[in-house]
Amino acid sequence: MAKKKVGKKSKFIFVVGGVMSGVGKGIAASSIGKILQARGLTVTALKIDPYINVDAGTMNPTEHGEVFVLQDGYETDQDMGNYERFMGLHLDRGNYMTTGSVYKSVIDRERNLEYGGQCVQVVPHIPREVISRIRAAAKKADADVTIIEIGGTVGEYENILFLEAVRTMKIEHPEDVLTVIVSYVPTPSKVGEMKTKPTQHAVRTLNGTGVQPDIIIARADRPLDEKRKEKVATFCSVRKEDVISAPDIESIYEVPLNFEKDALSDIIIKKLGLRAKARNIGEWAALVARSKAAKKPVRIAVVGKYFHSGEYVLSDVYISVLEAIKHAAFAAGSRPEICWLDSAEYEKSPEKVKELSSFDGVLIPGGFGSRGIEGKISAIRFCRENRIPYFGLCYGMQLLVIEYARNVLGLKGANTLEIDPKSKHLVIDIMPEQKDKLKKKDYGGSMRLGGYTAVVVPKTIAAAAYGVSEIVERHRHRYEVNPEYVERLRKGGLVFSATSPDGILMEIAELPVKEHPFFLGTQFHPEFQSSLAAPHPLFLAFIKAAIKRGA
Ligand code: GLN
């Protein structure tokens, strides 16, 4: 009889935040994964978000940052993108949960009488559900180490039940569970001295939930000196070696290398009793060195609308786009200079669009709704007429088609149903299966989502970039190029260089190189599958065209 394969027993590292949000917990979790991989260990990662939304798909990006789409179509937090990019993983819905999704499963199960008449309670049933999901993800990946990042900061009412899951797991298997707190150590300008008190308070708050951190990652604008490390260690009950200094650095990709300066992988491996190989981080270090060596600037304008939250510019909304531009630029030996431009400005003052001449390339990312759309269309027209490399992602592709229909084919008022249902020329229309969903107000998780295969047409920019005839790319859209206009657009000179395998959905639109150096849009989101080690081929082609213009 064949022996049943027994999977590995995973160890678990919880990453929680202290003092304040936004200090790079996601990057810390991703970097821990990276340095453990470099020791020959298999890792997987989960993100827990404490909000009630069942997934991230229904949130306005200015509320929450980018919605990162997984291969299986789940709409998640941008940190999932960091995990995939750093660790080279393909994660799925089992790697992401929100309070809403956890409660939903428990309630659905209760309605199906699956609790056998028990009183279903917040404790223990909610933490139990969280733990069973964590264990399932670890098992599926057959991981040596499973990293779980808990969103928010300790002390928030919202994440207490997740910390309860940490406490429970630690009691049950103390040798298998580590807790890392990523905290902040400020140096107030008027005081001029690094202050550890906020971190001490954060750790006490964590202690109040029954959890003691094993490792403290101290984020600060500078490295921690020995004295500060000692202080944190003494007051937070950890060894001095377990206080890891994480100063601000230029590139997020340097974080794993920095962690290793304090021998973090050794500390983790020892604490968890893991058997690991010698450190092999050379390949990553070489990629980081390449990115630092890239000096010649390539100037890219990103024309969008979700930039402003009060006084702040939120480039988080397009984090994967930003990273994909960087990956491609570094690979091509250039340093990207990215400028965020608000398309609404071109509606207020149409002349302003001329500023695009000063850029080497223009990119319009995905989006929804009507604000700033006419401004984006003017930007696309300007790029087409002035041979400025243009790359449109999702909405950026649909608007490329609208612009072409209006200004080249002369279809007056051409538009998308999303904006102008009364348009005489709906060159972008709703997908038939989407109509019912909207009628039923079924908005959450109901777009065309995740990885779908597309067939690439030979002898096009897309074909030259990909070098293969079939691709799988991630989607997130409700509207598409109206099949009734495809022939007319083709006859008018627009090339659809990739389609769904049945030829019905247009996946890439472009102009032939002899007419324009790079004028291309994708119905999908290539940015979700780019990494430092493997830049996305279309981003690379776009950046190369931009570099050529700048030369
Ligand atoms: N709003 C468009 C659609 O739903 C484009 C979506 C996007 O850019 N992600 O089809």
Side-chain angles (χ1 to χ4, degrees):
M1 216 170 76
K3 254 204 188 149
K4 203 172 140 212
K5 190 173 167 274
V6 184
K8 286 180 223 147
K9 199 170 148 222
S10 184
K11 304 278 184 174
F12 300 91
I13 301 177
F14 286 93
V15 179
V16 302
V19 179
M20 62 187 198
S21 65
V23 292
K25 231 176 333 122
I27 298 297
S30 307
S31 300
I32 290 173
K34 187 76 223 168
I35 59 177
L36 294 178
Q37 284 178 325
R39 303 296 301 266
L41 297 163
T42 330
V43 297
T44 189
L46 286 93
K47 172 82 196 270
I48 299 178
D49 268 329
Y51 41 72
I52 302 286
N53 302 60
V54 172
D55 58 42
T58 51
M59 262 180 283
N60 186 323
T62 47
E63 286 273 321
H64 175 263
E66 170 184 277
V67 175
F68 187 81
V69 182
L70 303 179
Q71 200 73 8
D72 70 0
Y74 207 42
E75 296 170 285
T76 70
D77 180 74
Q78 61 185 51
D79 277 324
M80 299 293 281
N82 288 322
Y83 304 164
E84 290 201 348
R85 286 189 280 270
F86 273 68
M87 297 181 249
L89 302 172
H90 260 183
L91 301 170
D92 64 27
R93 58 189 62 230
N95 296 83
Y96 184 68
M97 69 181 104
T98 66
T99 298
S101 77
V102 172
Y103 270 85
K104 192 167 183 301
S105 310
V106 171
I107 292 169
D108 287 348
R109 218 175 291 135
E110 184 275 329
R111 293 288 81 185
N112 293 338
L113 288 180
E114 286 176 46
Y115 287 100
Q118 274 177 48
C119 171
V120 183
Q121 294 183 290
V122 169
V123 179
H125 293 100
I126 297 298
R128 281 273 154 235
E129 169 67 17
V130 174
I131 294 170
S132 79
R133 288 185 182 201
I134 293 171
R135 290 200 180 280
K139 194 164 170 213
K140 187 165 177 203
D142 202 14
D144 295 313
V145 182
T146 302
I147 298 161
I148 309 105
E149 180 190 345
I150 299 181
T153 313
V154 294
E156 278 167 16
Y157 192 68
E158 294 195 302
N159 54 26
I160 283 180
L161 290 169
F162 300 113
L163 296 172
E164 178 61 15
V166 181
R167 191 185 70 87
T168 311
M169 280 183 77
K170 185 103 180 180
I171 290 173
E172 289 174 353
H173 298 281
E175 68 291 353
D176 289 347
V177 179
L178 271 193
T179 308
V180 177
I181 184 166
V182 181
S183 193
Y184 190 67
V185 185
T187 306
S189 59
K190 291 281 182 293
V191 180
E193 191 194 327
M194 217 179 206
K195 291 296 188 188
T196 63
K197 194 73 83 200
T199 296
Q200 297 176 32
H201 281 303
V203 170
R204 295 240 168 93
T205 307
L206 183 60
N207 289 157
T209 66
V211 178
Q212 163 64 25
D214 300 281
I215 294 169
I216 298 175
I217 294 181
R219 286 279 297 108
D221 64 352
R222 63 199 75 183
L224 261 67
D225 57 10
E226 291 306 301
K227 189 148 173 240
R228 240 49 58 165
K229 278 194 176 179
E230 237 157 60
K231 244 189 167 168
V232 172
T234 312
F235 289 104
C236 301
S237 316
V238 299
R239 299 177 320 163
K240 195 172 137 204
E241 307 85 274
D242 300 336
V243 180
I244 307 296
S245 177
D248 287 347
I249 33 180
E250 215 177 286
S251 152
I252 52 171
Y253 298 109
E254 267 181 89
V255 175
L257 306 176
N258 244 20
F259 281 178
E260 286 300 62
K261 284 187 191 153
D262 279 348
L264 182 56
S265 71
D266 292 323
I267 295 170
I268 293 174
I269 286 164
K270 190 143 176 247
K271 283 187 190 289
L272 287 173
L274 286 158
R275 280 228 308 255
K277 297 196 178 123
R279 187 174 289 125
N280 179 9
I281 197 122
E283 216 174 294
W284 187 264
L287 288 170
V288 172
R290 176 172 83 177
S291 69
K292 282 177 137 178
K295 291 276 183 298
K296 203 170 175 300
V298 54
R299 297 195 71 219
I300 305 295
V302 178
V303 181
K305 71 167 178 179
Y306 298 115
F307 295 143
H308 300 282
S309 165
E311 307 233 308
Y312 299 96
V313 173
L314 289 172
S315 51
D316 253 21
V317 171
Y318 303 112
I319 187 92
S320 294
V321 175
L322 176 67
E323 291 307 311
I325 293 173
K326 286 193 208 164
H327 303 149
F330 295 153
S334 285
R335 180 172 50 82
E337 273 182 18
I338 298 163
C339 198
W340 308 97
L341 302 174
D342 189 344
S343 61
E345 294 288 315
Y346 304 146
E347 292 171 9
K348 276 188 245 150
S349 18
E351 279 297 292
K352 235 188 141 192
V353 76
K354 288 190 186 143
E355 70 183 355
L356 295 176
S357 297
S358 66
F359 290 93
D360 302 327
V362 174
L363 185 148
I364 296 188
F368 295 86
S370 58
R371 189 164 62 85
I373 288 307
E374 288 303 322
K376 288 185 187 175
I377 294 174
S378 326
I380 298 170
R381 178 177 195 167
F382 190 81
C383 290
R384 183 177 54 76
E385 292 179 344
N386 294 281
R387 298 173 58 86
I388 302 167
Y390 169 74
F391 194 14
L393 313 177
C394 204
Y395 217 176
M397 176 265 203
Q398 296 175 354
L399 300 174
L400 173 158
V401 172
I402 293 170
E403 189 280 320
Y404 203 80
R406 284 186 191 173
N407 302 323
V408 180
L409 270 57
L411 303 176
K412 251 180 116 188
N415 218 324
T416 164
L417 184 80
E418 186 172 351
I419 297 178
D420 182 9
K422 294 205 192 85
S423 158
K424 271 214 330 249
H425 298 291
L426 284 173
V427 289
I428 305 295
D429 200 0
I430 191 151
M431 288 187 270
E433 65 276 20
Q434 289 290 335
K435 268 190 197 150
D436 291 346
K437 293 185 186 169
L438 288 194
K439 234 187 254 157
K440 283 190 241 147
K441 297 205 166 156
D442 171 12
Y443 299 123
S446 65
M447 285 185 250
R448 180 169 180 249
L449 289 166
Y452 284 92
T453 302
V455 180
V456 185
V457 177
K459 301 204 179 82
T460 56
I461 296 179
Y466 279 106
V468 292
S469 55
E470 237 185 55
I471 53 173
V472 178
E473 292 281 6
R474 297 187 194 172
H475 297 71
R476 183 172 188 247
H477 63 120
R478 242 182 250 290
Y479 302 87
E480 55 153 331
V481 178
N482 186 345
E484 285 176 26
Y485 281 88
V486 166
E487 248 347 280
R488 267 208 259 181
L489 287 158
R490 276 192 175 128
K491 278 207 186 102
L494 196 62
V495 176
F496 289 107
S497 51
T499 67
S500 56
D502 59 12
I504 291 173
L505 301 178
M506 299 303 114
E507 294 277 17
I508 305 182
E510 61 178 72
L511 279 183
V513 203
K514 58 179 189 319
E515 272 167 54
H516 194 292
F518 190 97
F519 189 76
L520 183 145
T522 60
Q523 184 55 81
F524 49 84
H525 291 269
E527 69 271 23
F528 293 144
Q529 294 199 86
S530 177
S531 67
L532 192 60
H536 191 282
L538 290 179
F539 273 89
L540 204 53
F542 167 59
I543 289 293
K544 283 185 178 160
I547 291 173
K548 220 171 174 182
R549 173 178 160 83

